[in-house]
Each structure stands twice: as structure tokens, then as C-alpha cells.
């Protein structure tokens, strides 16, 4: 078999359930056919190419400025369709570009995000399918706008034209939402309606995104009235999101470390595991315990202990990926959720945390005296979902916590993953000979 054939046969798409494979291929084929069919509907002018370049440049700047936000939002997205940040640019392209160039923008942006934001970590067929749903929605809404009064491409004229804009926007959203929902149901037919619709209220973000897209189109067309309509709708959705975020910040953040609180982390982890189940992806959890932390409090006081906890939290944050979620579990214990991670990556990240904590030097000033703490170590246990003995978040945490106990029992300052052989205790050069090795 030739090398290209082996590469194609290695696609994860072929290992998906048959109903998912059939559904994905049908949607992809329909998107390709629709894009080809609308290619010659309108001539492409130099102005159209200029607008395409402007939109693509603005979209790239937006993507680069919101990469961490998008990854964090993905953690709490639940199992339903996820509202990404590309909608304003896709929608603006439908309004001001011929359908063929709007399709070019969709493909270019989806490809850029796959390589740049997720670095090719997600299966390619998922991103192709996502692009296909947007392409179908784009072609359908372009057909509606073609019947509106006024120029096309261009923003339709008057209130009747605005009605066409709203109808096309609703149709675009409905097609995209329904196709994604169908894929989720094909992958996980046992999901309950409450799980699929638990985050449905976040679709208001999609409405706000389309309003911003209309405003961007208005800027290109210099139609002030429609620009105001778009900005008002966008600002309402935007400020609603910000207001909710302000109320939730205090409840989600641990005051001593700046990490997530256990309750908020548990909510993130629950959503992440639901999405992992629905999309047949993996997720890992690390449980961490700072070794001999009581000695720090006894020797330097509780204020110094708080400084050490903050330094360890910063070290954990620096060592994990930008879209992982860390919390202070309690006392000197921490937990980290790592979506879409392999066993090798789980160990690599855990060992990076280990090295970061070993390298810490915490300056402590109290009562006009200065001191440092520089002999810190941490024990880490980890577990991966899915695995034969782990089917939910509780079992995942129990497995990681058991692995943490094994790491401490084996001598502390080490990583142990669930399912690995437990090595016998080894002498720790940081500890005096004969020192008790029982976990604190």
C-alpha cells in the first residue's frame, strides 16, 4: 500500500461509529456541492477581493487576541453546540461578499484556527465537518439575501431589507445549530435532552456575534443606520455576558492562590467530561499535595505559608497548558483538569510541575526579618478518562487521588499515574536519613 493511502486510512474518521461516519460524509458532500453550485452566481470584483483581505486580517487579529478565552470557554461549553468567535466574520462575509468568496473566508479561517489555536490536536475530520456546517449555512443565507431589495452583495435597503437580514441570520443559525446537534446525537444517542440544552442560553452570544458582523458590514458599506442597529444588538449581548462574569468572578476564584475554587473547578470538569464523552475524546486529572507543608507553617508562620501556596499555584499555572483548569482543592492540595490529553502528555505536564516546584525560591519578610523557602517538593497523582475502571468524574478523581497516595507512599516528590506499578520507597536527598516517610 502506498504511503498516501496509509496516511488516509489512518484518519480517526474511519474508526468512528458507522452512523457518525455516514452523517459526517453526507454533510461534507452537501457543503462541497453547495459551494460549487454558488461559485458562479455573482462576478467577483477587485473591491470584493479587497474586502475579503480586510475581513481575513481583522479575523486573524481577533483569533490571536482571544485564543486563551476561546480555550477556556470550551472547557465549560457542555455537550451542546459550541458558539465560537468566528461568527461575526463569517456573517459579515455573507452580507458584503459574493457567496464564493464568503466560502473562501470560511475555509481559510477554519484552517487557521485548527492549526493556530488547537495546533492540529483535534481530529481533522471534526474541523472539516465544522467548516462544512458553516458553508451550508453560508450558502443558504446568501440565497435569502439575494432576494432582498438593494444591491447584492451588500446590505439590503430599508426595513424590508433588515427583515431579510434577520431571516437570513436566523436561517444561518438554525442550519448550523441543527447540523452540529445532529452530529452530537449520532455520536452519543444516549445523551439526555437536558444535557444537550443545558447551555442553550449561551446562544445569545451567537445573536450578539451576528450583530457585530452586521456592524462590520455597515462599516464596509458606510450605512450608519444599520451600523447602529448592529452595534446596539451586539452591545446588549456583550454587556450581559460581562455583567454575569463580574458577579461570578468572586465565587470562582480562590482568594489565596488565584486559582479556581473547588466548586467552580468541579463544574468545569463536569462539562469537560460530558464533552469528552460526546466527542469521544480524552481528559485527565492531576491531584497534587505539597510535601511537608506543615513544616513551613511551623517554621515561618501562616503568612509565609500563604505566600508559599501562592508561589506553588503560580508554578502550576506556568507549567500547565493555557486551556487546562487548576484549582486549590483544600489546604495544600491542588487539582488540575487537562482536556484532550494522552497518557504521555499527562505525565510530561505533571513532571514539569514537579520541576517548577523544586525550583521555587519564595522570599518571606516578616517582623523586619527576611528569609527564604527553597526546599519545596510536591507529590502528584494522575488518571486518564476514559479507561476501563473510570466512567465519570468521581471515579476519575478517586483514581487520581489514589495515585497521589501511592506517590507519597513511595517517597514523595514524584509522579504516579493510575494503573502504573508502585515503586518501593526510595531515599530522598532532600530528607535526612531515617526520616519518617508516611504521608502527612
Amino acid at each position: 500500500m502506498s504511503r498516501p493511502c496509509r496516511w488516509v486510512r489512518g484518519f480517526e474518521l474511519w474508526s468512528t461509529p458507522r452512523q457518525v461516519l455516514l452523517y459526517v460524509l453526507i454533510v461534507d458532500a452537501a457543503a462541497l456541492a453547495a459551494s460549487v453550485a454558488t461559485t458562479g452566481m455573482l462576478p467577483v470584483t477587485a473591491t470584493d477581493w479587497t474586502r475579503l483581505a480586510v475581513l481575513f486580517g481583522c479575523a486573524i487579529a481577533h483569533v490571536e487576541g482571544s485564543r486563551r478565552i476561546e480555550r477556556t470557554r470550551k472547557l465549560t461549553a457542555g455537550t451542546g453546540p459550541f458558539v465560537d468567535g468566528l461568527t461575526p466574520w463569517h456573517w459579515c462575509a455573507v452580507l458584503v461578499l459574493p457567496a464564493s468568496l464568503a466560502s473562501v473566508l470560511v475555509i481559510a479561517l477554519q484552517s487557521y484556527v485548527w492549526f493556530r489555536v488547537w495546533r492540529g490536536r483535534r481530529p481533522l475530520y471534526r474541523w472539516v465537518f465544522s467548516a462544512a456546517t458553516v458553508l451550508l449555512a453560508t450558502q443558504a443565507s446568501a440565497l435569502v439575501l439575494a432576494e432582498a431589495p438593494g444591491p447584492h452583495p451588500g446590505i439590503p435597503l430599508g426595513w424590508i431589507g433588515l427583515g431579510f437580514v434577520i431571516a437570513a441570520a436566523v436561517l444561518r443559525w438554525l442550519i448550523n445549530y441543527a447540523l452540529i446537534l445532529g452530529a452530537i446525537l449520532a455520536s452519543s444517542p444516549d445523551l439526555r435532552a437536558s444535557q444537550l440544552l443545558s447551555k442553550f442560553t449561551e446562544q445569545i452570544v451567537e445573536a450578539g456575534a451576528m450583530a457585530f458582523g452586521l456592524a462590520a458590514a455597515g462599516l464596509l458599506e458606510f450605512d450608519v443606520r444599520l451600523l447602529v442597529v448592529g452595534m446596539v444588538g451586539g452591545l446588549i449581548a456583550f454587556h450581559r455576558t460581562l455583567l454575569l462574569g463580574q458577579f461570578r468572578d468572586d465565587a470562582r476564584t480562590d482568594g489565596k492562590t488565584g486559582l479556581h475554587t473547588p466548586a467552580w473547578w468541579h463544574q468545569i470538569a463536569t462539562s469537560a467530561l460530558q464533552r469528552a464523552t460526546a466527542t469521544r475524546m480524552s481528559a485527565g486529572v492531576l491531584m497534587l499535595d505539597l510535601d511537608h507543608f506543615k513544616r513551613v507553617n511551623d517554621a515561618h508562620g501562616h503568612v509565609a505559608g500563604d505566600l508559599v501556596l501562592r508561589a506553588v499555584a503560580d508554578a502550576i499555572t506556568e507549567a500547565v497548558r493555557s486551556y487546562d483548569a487548576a484549582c486549590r482543592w483544600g489546604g495544600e492540595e491542588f487539582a488540575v483538569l487537562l482536556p484532550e490529553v494522552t497518557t504521555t502528555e499527562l505525565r510530561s505536564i505533571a513532571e514539569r510541575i514537579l520541576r517548577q516546584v523544586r525550583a521555587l525560591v519564595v522570599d518571606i519578610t516578616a517582623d523586619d526579618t527576611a528569609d527564604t523557602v527553597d526546599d519545596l517538593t510536591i507529590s502528584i497523582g494522575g488518571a486518564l478518562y476514559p479507561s476501563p475502571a473510570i466512567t465519570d468524574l468521581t471515579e476519575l478523581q478517586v483514581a487520581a487521588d489514589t495515585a497521589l497516595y501511592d506517590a507519597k507512599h513511595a517517597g514523595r516528590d514524584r509522579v504516579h499515574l493510575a494503573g502504573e506499578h508502585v515503586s518501593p520507597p526510595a531515599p530522598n536527598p532532600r530528607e535526612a536519613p531515617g526520616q519518617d516517610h508516611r504521608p502527612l
Side-chain angles (χ1 to χ4, degrees):
M1 182 184 298
S2 65
R3 187 173 182 178
C5 289
R6 288 197 302 270
W7 181 68
V8 170
R9 287 178 65 87
F11 285 173
E12 187 175 338
L13 172 63
W14 312 123
S15 63
T16 61
R18 181 172 298 179
Q19 70 273 16
V20 177
L21 174 62
L22 183 61
Y23 183 84
V24 168
L25 291 179
I26 289 175
V27 173
D28 290 348
L32 179 61
S35 299
V36 172
T38 58
T39 297
M41 282 180 55
L42 293 170
V44 178
T45 66
T47 299
D48 295 328
W49 285 110
T50 301
R51 288 178 176 178
L52 174 63
V54 170
L55 287 177
F56 185 70
C58 291
I60 295 304
H62 180 202
V63 168
E64 290 297 327
S66 60
R67 280 190 298 154
R68 291 192 64 179
I69 296 173
E70 285 297 287
R71 287 168 172 167
T72 302
R73 287 182 59 236
K74 190 76 171 179
L75 287 176
T76 59
T79 56
F82 175 66
V83 179
D84 64 26
L86 298 179
T87 297
W89 312 109
H90 292 160
W91 178 233
C92 182
V94 174
L95 292 168
V96 300
L97 294 177
S100 57
L101 290 193
S103 297
V104 169
L105 183 71
V106 169
I107 294 170
L109 285 181
Q110 291 294 122
S111 301
Y112 184 86
V113 169
W114 186 69
F115 281 108
R116 180 62 178 150
V117 178
W118 301 106
R119 303 184 186 280
R121 294 175 55 84
R122 291 175 176 271
L124 178 59
Y125 82 89
R126 294 181 186 275
W127 282 103
V128 173
F129 174 79
S130 179
T133 65
V134 178
L135 285 172
L136 283 172
T138 295
Q139 307 307 327
S141 53
L143 290 175
V144 172
L145 292 171
E147 302 300 322
H152 184 69
I155 300 177
L157 300 176
W159 294 109
I160 295 178
L162 181 59
F164 273 90
V165 170
I166 294 173
V170 171
L171 179 62
R172 182 195 180 282
W173 168 80
L174 184 60
I175 290 175
N176 192 39
Y177 186 85
L179 289 174
I180 296 294
L181 198 64
I184 294 173
L185 287 172
S187 299
S188 304
D190 56 338
L191 285 176
R192 299 187 302 273
S194 59
Q195 292 176 295
L196 290 172
L197 302 177
S198 61
K199 300 287 185 177
F200 184 79
T201 54
E202 291 187 1
Q203 294 300 314
I204 192 174
V205 177
E206 184 82 347
M210 287 190 176
F212 277 114
L214 177 59
L219 283 172
L220 289 175
E221 293 283 328
F222 297 104
D223 190 319
V224 177
R225 290 172 300 170
L226 289 180
L227 173 61
V228 172
V229 172
M231 290 301 293
V232 169
L235 287 174
I236 290 173
F238 183 70
H239 280 93
R240 181 181 185 276
T241 303
L242 286 181
L243 186 62
L244 289 175
Q246 290 172 354
F247 285 137
R248 291 171 180 167
D249 278 347
D250 290 342
R252 294 176 175 179
T253 305
D254 176 68
K256 289 186 178 181
T257 63
L259 300 178
H260 296 311
T261 60
W264 177 234
W265 182 90
H266 190 275
Q267 184 175 335
I268 293 174
T270 299
S271 296
L273 254 68
Q274 288 175 349
R275 181 163 289 273
T277 300
T279 58
R280 301 169 62 86
M281 301 296 286
S282 62
V285 162
L286 296 176
M287 301 297 293
L288 310 91
D289 194 353
L290 196 58
D291 297 326
H292 304 303
F293 180 66
K294 185 175 182 298
R295 296 178 187 173
V296 175
N297 284 330
D298 291 344
H300 304 282
H302 289 281
V303 173
D306 290 347
L307 293 175
V308 168
L309 287 176
R310 182 63 189 233
V312 171
D314 291 343
I316 292 172
T317 301
E318 185 178 347
V320 301
R321 304 167 301 180
S322 61
Y323 50 94
D324 297 328
C327 81
R328 181 188 177 207
W329 193 249
E332 66 273 22
E333 296 180 354
F334 303 86
V336 182
L337 169 74
L338 304 98
E340 300 175 22
V341 69
T342 64
T343 302
T344 301
E345 290 169 334
L346 188 65
R347 171 169 285 281
S348 175
I349 293 170
E351 290 178 346
R352 191 158 62 235
I353 295 173
L354 210 68
R355 293 191 297 270
Q356 294 273 31
V357 173
R358 287 172 183 164
L360 284 176
V361 177
V362 183
D363 296 320
I364 298 169
T365 302
D367 300 327
D368 297 326
T369 60
D371 200 354
T372 60
V373 175
D374 60 358
D375 58 350
L376 298 170
T377 62
I378 196 166
S379 299
I380 305 175
L384 193 68
Y385 170 90
S387 68
I390 299 174
T391 59
D392 57 28
L393 180 59
T394 299
E395 292 176 352
L396 181 61
Q397 287 181 261
V398 168
D401 203 47
T402 301
L404 169 62
Y405 178 84
D406 291 338
K408 295 184 78 69
H409 182 72
R412 301 184 179 91
D413 188 26
R414 67 194 63 218
V415 175
H416 183 73
L417 301 184
E420 292 181 338
H421 174 71
V422 181
S423 302
N428 191 327
R430 292 180 181 270
E431 298 176 340
Q435 195 170 29
D436 184 9
H437 284 275
R438 290 175 298 173
L440 290 177

